[in-house]
């Protein structure tokens, strides 16, 4: 279930919707200069609840943005941004400049603690614990140190964890190192990025960035890094001596060195942004003969880093600009121009980060100003890049005989299955929820007359409950209710039974009934290995709930279409035809029955279209007369 990605960037698709600010923090007054308030970078934690920032005052601040994320997930639409003051959740001050930092892949505010690796000038790499509840917050848990041939300490300029959190890559001036996270101290491997100072091979200069190895990173085990000499290189994660490829940014696109690098499109494309360059360049790592795509951005005369990031789908690129605006680019568009833009701040936007799985954007502003009278905008904001959404009683999917679907939030839907509230079945008639149904051809069984009558009574009461909460669903006597959750962090949907637990789930005498444990479904278990779709889960749930199983789980309730207006019926039948087309192409055991419904709906759909056309033609004639 693609809860976050399916409706991502309705801002872009619709062309008219604007980004909506959910929360805002103002930078606190620190130091003797207003320039110390300016933000330099911002990054979401892997669980999408915290935002870590670094400012010009050499302090790392962590902000709790979980309330804004939950606000979006629950479909709330506030009138304006929530002002959160100036105080972060915690602050870790440093004596020197923070050059780079990276969240631990398993960092979470809910479980296991939040850890971040940071690189400070003239210091080794520190793995810091960001625990606001602890008495000694921001404690250093481990240190990782690299030295050159003269045993002088090297200062890391770029950091990146491996997805499994076992390794940490660090870039230095002319060197690249790999550390074992479980063994603090010296690196397991330290290599030069170029054989010699005068050599043209390899990657020249200071390693300025290591591409974040998240869900968009390639599965084949590559690490991408770039340097301030406008070079990009790919290395093997298991052996840094093996430089897979290295190339220079074309002179017409190069600025003063690459400062941002991001993977996209499941690790097949890498984006690179340079300082003082009006271009962001992408390469397809499968064909490095030239750039894969080039997009334009406003020219900046400053050497300040201006971050870029890629959304959870890998399709959209987001970039901040020196004029305070943010642009969104679609990699499916060939013209290289932004498809959407909005004014985010009144000052430069050097820091931005896309949420790991929601269309939420964190932006932070600020830069150094030499005019004493200039009023700088130094703030952190959380933006929603999706269209406004508010679930209501009408947010449902109707028109089916055996079930209806009601939206409870962005991540949850309530599935109501009808025709299963018949007489209490015997133990021999109970079909366990975990049984396999959709991957085997089952014998078609016509529903019993008693089941049909029960289904008719249920359809007469198909309106959604006044309250879709679990307590209200327990009192629903017309349907068996399921909660389907498509939480992005789990990468697959889960189904919970909310009514009829004792009738549908058999437990041992000495075993307690766990109502909050998701059902064990074969379609869910195979979600990551095979091409499983959300309606595959619906088929399994419906066929195991209704006994005997229906001949067609997606049978159409034509009485519903007779009750709506012609205009609504044209849209509803068109949408239903598209859905049934996808169901038919799945080759279920009931596909030929679905084909009969498709033919009947097509006749209704085109009949109504002709009716509307004739009505409009007659209206024009009456108007002319």
């Amino acid at each position: 279930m693609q809860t976050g990605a399916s409706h991502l960037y309705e801002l872009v698709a619709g062309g008219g919707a604007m980004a909506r600010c959910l929360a805002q923090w103002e930078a606190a007054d620190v130091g003797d200069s207003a320039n110390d308030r300016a933000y330099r970078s911002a990054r979401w934690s892997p669980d999408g609840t915290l935002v870590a920032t670094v400012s010009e005052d050499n302090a790392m601040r962590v902000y709790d943005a979980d309330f804004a994320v939950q606000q979006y997930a629950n479909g709330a639409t506030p009138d304006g941004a929530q002002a959160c003051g100036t105080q972060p959740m915690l602050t870790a001050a440093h004596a020197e400049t923070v050059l780079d930092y990276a969240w631990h892949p398993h960092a979470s505010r809910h479980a296991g603690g939040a850890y971040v690796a940071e690189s400070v000038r003239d210091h080794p790499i520190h793995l810091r614990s960001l625990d606001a509840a602890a008495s000694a917050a921001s404690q250093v848990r481990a240190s990782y140190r690299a030295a050159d041939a003269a045993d002088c300490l090297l200062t890391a300029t770029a950091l990146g964890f491996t997805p499994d959190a076992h390794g940490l890559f660090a870039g230095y001036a002319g060197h690249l190192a790999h550390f074992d996270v479980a063994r603090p101290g010296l690196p397991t491997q330290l290599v030069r990025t170029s054989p010699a100072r005068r050599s043209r091979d390899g990657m020249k200069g200071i390693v300025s960035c290591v591409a974040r190895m998240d869900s968009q990173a390639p599965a084949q085990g590559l690490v991408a890094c770039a340097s301030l000499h406008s070079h990009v290189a790919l290395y093997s994660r298991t052996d840094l001596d093996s430089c897979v490829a290295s190339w220079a940014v074309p002179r017409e696109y190069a600025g003063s060195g690459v400062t941002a690098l991001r993977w996209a499109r499941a690790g097949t494309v890498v984006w690179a942004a340079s300082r003082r360059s009006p271009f962001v360049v992408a390469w397809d790592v499968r064909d490095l003969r030239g750039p894969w795509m080039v997009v334009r951005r406003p020219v900046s005369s400053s050497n300040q880093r201006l971050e870029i990031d890629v959304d959870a789908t890998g399709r959209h690129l987001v970039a901040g600009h020196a004029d305070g605006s943010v642009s969104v680019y679609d990699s499916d568009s060939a013209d290289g121009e932004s498809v959407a833009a909005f004014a985010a701040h009144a000052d430069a936007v050097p820091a931005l980060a896309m949420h790991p799985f929601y269309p939420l954007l964190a932006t932070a502003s600020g830069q150094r100003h030499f005019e004493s009278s200039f009023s700088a905008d130094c703030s952190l904001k959380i933006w929603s890049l999706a269209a406004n959404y508010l679930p209501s009683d009408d947010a449902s999917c109707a028109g089916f005989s055996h079930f209806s679907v009601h939206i409870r939030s962005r991540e949850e839907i309530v599935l109501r299955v009808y025709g299963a509230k018949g007489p209490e079945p015997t133990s021999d008639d109970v079909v366990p929820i975990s049984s396999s149904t959709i991957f085997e051809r089952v014998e078609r069984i016509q529903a019993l007359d008693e089941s049909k009558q029960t289904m008719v009574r249920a359809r007469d009461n198909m309106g959604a409950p006044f309250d879709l909460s679990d307590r209200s669903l327990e009192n629903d006597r017309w349907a068996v209710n399921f909660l389907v959750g498509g939480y992005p962090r789990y990468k697959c949907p889960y189904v919970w039974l909310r009514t009829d637990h004792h009738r549908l789930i058999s437990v041992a005498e000495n075993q307690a009934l766990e109502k909050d444990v998701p059902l064990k479904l074969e379609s869910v278990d195979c979600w990551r290995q095979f091409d499983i779709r959300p309606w595959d889960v619906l088929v399994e749930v419906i066929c195991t709930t209704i006994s005997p199983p229906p001949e067609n789980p997606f049978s159409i309730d034509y009485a519903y279409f007779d009750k709506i207006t012609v205009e609504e019926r044209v849209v509803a039948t068109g949408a239903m035809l598209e859905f049934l087309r996808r169901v038919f192409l799945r080759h279920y055991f009931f596909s030929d029955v679905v084909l009969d419904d498709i033919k009947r709906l097509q006749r209704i759909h085109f009949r109504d279209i002709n009716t509307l056309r004739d009505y409009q033609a007659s209206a024009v004639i009456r108007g002319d007369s």
Side-chain angles (χ1 to χ4, degrees), residues 132-155:
S135 57
S138 305
Q139 291 184 348
V140 175
R141 302 299 183 183
S143 296
Y144 306 91
R145 173 182 177 274
D148 59 10
D151 201 25
C152 294
L153 177 68
L154 295 176
T155 299

Side-chain angles (χ1 to χ4, degrees), residues 24 58 66 274 276 302 331 341 443 480 497 531 568 607:
Q24 177 177 349
N58 302 332
D66 188 45
S274 303
R276 304 173 67 91
S302 171
S331 60
E443 182 181 0
V480 178
L497 183 63
D531 182 24
E568 293 175 335
R607 180 201 65 191

